[in-house]
Amino acid sequence: VIVPPRAYAPDLLFAAGEVREGAALVVEGGRVSSVGAAPPGAEQVRLSGAAVLPGLVSAHGHAFQRALRGRPERRAAGGSDFWSWREAMYAVASRVGPDELESIARLAFLELARSGATAAGEFHYLHHDPAGRPYADRDELARRVIGAAREVGLRVTLLRAAYARAGHRRPAEGAQRRFVEASPDEAASAVERLAASHRGDPLVRFGLAPHSARACPAEWIAALAREAERRALPLHVHVSEQPAEVEAVRAEHGVSPVALLARCGALGPRTTAVHAIHVDAEDVEALGAARACVCACPLTERDLGDGVVPADRLLAAGARMALGVDSFGEVDLLAEARALEGHLRLVRLERGVLASRAAAATAAPAATSSAIPAPTHAPSPALFERLYGFASAGGMASLGWGGGALAPGEPADFVVISLDDPSIAGAGADDLVPAVVSSMARTAVRDVYVGGEPVVRDGRAVRVEESRAVARAVAALHRLRA
Ligand SMILES: [Zn+2]
């Protein structure tokens, strides 16, 4: 059966880095075949009063943590920090079974899709049963999470975590028994098994994830880095989220977590360093020189009191950026992008912190011959396009897919937004992206397409029955809280 190309014709199209009026996004075989005029024979899909933009990508998250929503807040009345939050998270992690995990993950991914996301990176470290024994199918929980994402219709990269210990000379304790394995080879062989059984699904991929320099010894990190290199897989690792973690790594190895990754051969263009908050000048240089990606999760980092990702310095050094919803406490990648810049404004006492200085210079070429110098600190027009890119193409690169800009040849993962939503009403071709990045509410999301197929229509999921999915998740949440 030959399926004709489909030409989506919104009022405004943000594709290949440019906003165009009256242009069509032409999709064929799940990919963008062209941008501009609809070819003869194409099936026309007119999207009146709408704009089409690249799908959003969460490059880092733990779907089961959706079960914590509202819970640690109650405990935060007294002195609370990352470590007390972690206790609450472990309490949930120690109880969640395969059915609960699947139901809660389905709800989490449903909300993610409805927020305009098309792909998720799931950093998966729950492997065993609550007693720490492998399930009959060793990959039971990984399969449940992948299944939940695919049921909703999202593109997914399962980042299979390896976890060795509580810390240096400290064996796993409590809930961590569900995370730990005897060797890094277990993560590598799990990815091999899972990749083989998902070979028929082009929207599922895998990556390797030494959990952190605290939870993995240097030999594990080195072994997983070699395996990721050999198989060309993304390598994700939590890095320098909390000062105590940095101190523990310095005490054990005499170097920072970033320097340890470099020493282990784990710092390169396949690497995504999640958080990278408490990094010094040498760490920033090393991440930049390696062309590594840094995945910031500003809403979770703010909630947990982690600190602010120095994205301006990381970008200046050459690092790339992605964004993640991490704890699923708030599910909104545009809010993550807004917070990445917003937090830096509070710290640097400046606006447009993440505007590309190079772009600002080229935007005002006349300034060189004029008496008035170019305003080097004015927000450049590239700021919002750049932030949008972190939330789309940045995540696709981090998760091993590529694309994310709707250029010809890229996956047809896109979001259709309503231009008469009150949050962005009045936006035109010249300010569509600034309006979307700085102000768009999730109510503006009309449709979401992954690989050219609809996943959300008129704001509702189309592949799963929403009321049933929510009811199952609510039942699971109640069981966990009983
Ligand atoms: Zn995380």
Side-chain angles (χ1 to χ4, degrees), residues 97 113 259 287 311 329 394 441 479:
L287 286 161
R479 280 202 299 282

Side-chain angles (χ1 to χ4, degrees), residues 7 25 59 101 116 129 146 171 184 214 249 258 267 295 300 325 327 340 343 375 385 392 426 444 459 466 475:
L25 181 76
L101 179 67
D129 76 10
I146 296 167
R214 166 189 60 77
V249 172
V258 171
L267 211 57
C295 182
T300 296
V325 300
S327 63
L340 184 73
H343 293 171
E385 286 75 4
S392 54
E466 283 203 4

Side-chain angles (χ1 to χ4, degrees), residues 126-482:
L126 266 180
H127 307 312
H128 307 315
D129 76 10
R133 289 173 309 234
Y135 285 96
D137 172 359
R138 306 178 69 84
D139 307 314
E140 175 79 34
L141 297 182
R143 287 184 207 285
R144 296 290 189 123
V145 174
I146 296 167
R150 294 298 301 121
E151 244 185 274
V152 170
L154 291 177
R155 185 182 295 277
V156 64
T157 296
L158 187 99
L159 302 154
R160 190 9 175 113
Y163 202 106
R165 57 185 196 176
H168 183 40
R169 297 204 182 105
R170 281 174 50 216
E173 50 208 40
Q176 293 170 345
R177 289 189 198 100
R178 301 193 71 178
F179 318 161
V180 296
E181 292 168 310
S183 90
D185 303 344
E186 298 201 36
S189 38
V191 163
E192 210 151 302
R193 290 190 298 272
L194 288 162
S197 57
H198 289 86
R199 196 152 284 152
D201 188 345
L203 299 184
V204 178
R205 283 196 181 175
F206 297 90
L208 287 166
H211 179 279
S212 55
R214 166 189 60 77
C216 287
E219 314 84 76
W220 283 44
I221 298 171
L224 291 164
R226 278 195 303 274
E227 183 69 6
E229 194 56 43
R230 189 175 73 78
R231 299 176 57 189
L233 298 175
L235 185 76
H236 282 225
V237 54
H238 289 113
V239 177
S240 303
E241 179 174 11
Q242 282 282 326
E245 171 205 339
V246 178
E247 283 157 32
V249 172
R250 283 193 184 279
E252 181 180 0
H253 301 282
V255 293
S256 72
V258 171
L260 180 68
L261 292 185
R263 190 192 275 179
C264 295
L267 211 57
R270 301 188 178 292
T271 308
T272 292
V274 181
H275 305 304
I277 294 168
H278 302 284
V279 285
D280 62 21
E282 283 167 40
D283 294 338
V284 168
E285 272 314 305
L287 286 161
R291 299 286 293 141
C293 176
V294 169
C295 182
C297 309
L299 300 181
T300 296
E301 289 153 1
R302 178 167 75 200
D303 180 44
L304 300 185
D306 287 339
V308 174
V309 177
D312 50 347
R313 290 168 188 166
L314 289 161
L315 287 162
R320 296 165 299 124
M321 296 295 305
L323 294 164
V325 300
D326 196 357
S327 63
F328 284 82
E330 290 176 67
V331 174
D332 188 339
L333 286 153
L334 294 172
E336 300 282 357
R338 214 171 282 152
L340 184 73
E341 160 75 17
H343 293 171
L344 283 166
R345 291 185 184 193
L346 293 171
V347 172
R348 308 269 190 255
L349 309 180
E350 191 188 314
R351 304 183 77 219
V353 181
L354 296 178
S356 155
R357 302 288 181 235
T362 52
T368 50
S369 58
S370 142
I372 305 161
T376 51
H377 289 276
S380 96
L383 169 65
F384 299 101
E385 286 75 4
R386 200 178 197 200
L387 289 171
Y388 199 98
F390 300 157
S392 54
M396 288 294 267
S398 163
L399 297 177
W401 295 99
L406 297 179
E410 294 186 358
D413 291 10
F414 58 95
V415 56
V416 182
I417 62 166
S418 177
L419 288 169
D420 46 27
D421 187 83
S423 65
I424 52 163
D430 55 340
D431 61 353
L432 174 73
V433 182
V436 164
V437 171
S438 54
S439 308
M440 193 181 98
R442 293 188 308 181
T443 49
V445 173
R446 195 199 278 187
D447 313 315
V448 176
Y449 287 77
V450 176
E453 297 298 326
V455 164
V456 171
R457 254 203 186 132
D458 294 322
R460 306 284 289 180
V462 292
R463 311 258 301 237
V464 288
E465 200 191 309
E466 283 203 4
S467 54
R468 193 171 135 79
V470 172
R472 285 168 71 180
V474 168
L477 291 169
H478 284 313
R479 280 202 299 282
L480 282 175
R481 288 168 193 193

